[in-house]
């Protein structure tokens, strides 16, 4: 068992609504485990869909929450990652998008909205069928049309 002498301070990991750095096989939320150990998680690709087909900024659920807050889908996705305690590093070549991406500190997603966005990966889960309790229950405060 080799051990490191210097504890890492920051770990970069893909972090999006479809991929939050967890390993489904082990049922372990890697991002949360690192945060519990005092390591900062820097999430990249917050707005990217790879390897999924649906672009997060085109997801109807994200758009609905964005509309409710008067924000863009990108701002909701970045705020979601930020509220999970990750450092976000969005990129853009356009100055207006850089300003928009930075304008995420004056609003907050509700607990229900966070839970709802957190549940989106379960809709496209590729392994064993997950147990989804209360995913679409009325206590979430979101109207879901299936």
């Amino acid at each position: 068992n080799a051990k490191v002498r210097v504890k890492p301070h920051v770990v970069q990991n893909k972090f999006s609504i479809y991929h939050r750095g967890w390993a489904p096989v082990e049922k372990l939320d890697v991002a949360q485990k690192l945060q519990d150990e005092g390591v900062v998680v820097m999430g990249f690709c917050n707005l990217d869909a790879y390897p999924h087909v649906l672009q997060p900024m085109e997801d109807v659920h994200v758009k609905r929450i964005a509309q409710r807050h008067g924000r863009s889908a990108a701002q909701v996705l970045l705020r979601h990652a930020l509220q999970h305690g990750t450092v976000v590093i969005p990129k853009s070549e356009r100055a207006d998008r850089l300003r928009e991406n930075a304008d995420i500190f004056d609003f907050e997603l509700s607990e229900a909205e966070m839970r709802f966005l957190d549940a989106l990966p379960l809709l496209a889960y590729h392994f064993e069928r997950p147990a989804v309790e209360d995913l679409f229950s009325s206590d979430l405060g979101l109207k879901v049309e299936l």
Side-chain angles (χ1 to χ4, degrees):
N1 283 341
K3 294 196 177 205
V4 296
R5 292 180 189 213
V6 178
K7 180 180 175 181
H9 295 282
V10 177
V11 172
Q12 288 187 339
N13 196 32
K14 179 169 175 55
F15 192 99
S16 74
I17 60 169
Y18 302 137
H19 183 279
R20 291 197 328 274
W22 48 271
V25 175
E26 299 176 23
K27 305 278 191 287
L28 173 66
D29 188 333
V30 174
Q32 185 60 56
K33 177 65 176 160
L34 289 169
Q35 289 171 354
D36 291 347
E37 295 293 325
V39 177
V40 173
V41 177
M42 179 180 289
F44 62 86
C45 293
N46 305 97
L47 310 178
D48 185 27
Y50 181 82
H52 303 283
V53 176
L54 179 63
Q55 295 292 325
M57 291 195 296
E58 297 301 318
D59 188 294
V60 66
H61 306 294
V62 173
K63 287 175 139 182
R64 210 172 276 149
I65 292 171
Q67 183 179 27
R68 188 175 302 127
H69 286 275
R71 300 295 177 139
S72 70
Q75 288 172 311
V76 167
L77 294 168
L78 294 170
R79 184 67 206 186
H80 172 259
L82 193 67
Q83 283 183 225
H84 269 293
T86 66
V87 173
V88 295
I89 51 171
K91 68 175 183 77
S92 181
E93 294 177 2
R94 294 178 38 190
D96 59 327
R97 286 228 179 105
L98 287 172
R99 279 189 295 278
E100 178 183 293
N101 289 342
D103 191 20
I104 59 172
F105 297 99
D106 61 347
F107 78 103
E108 191 170 302
L109 300 174
S110 71
E111 181 180 338
E113 290 167 331
M114 289 293 291
R115 285 177 47 208
F116 193 83
L117 292 173
D118 288 346
L120 290 180
L122 299 177
L123 298 176
Y125 198 72
H126 300 294
F127 299 95
E128 66 189 46
R129 185 183 175 116
V132 183
E133 293 183 41
D134 297 326
L135 177 58
F136 298 116
S137 67
S138 60
D139 70 324
L140 288 177
L142 298 173
K143 182 178 180 181
V144 178
E145 298 172 12
L146 299 176

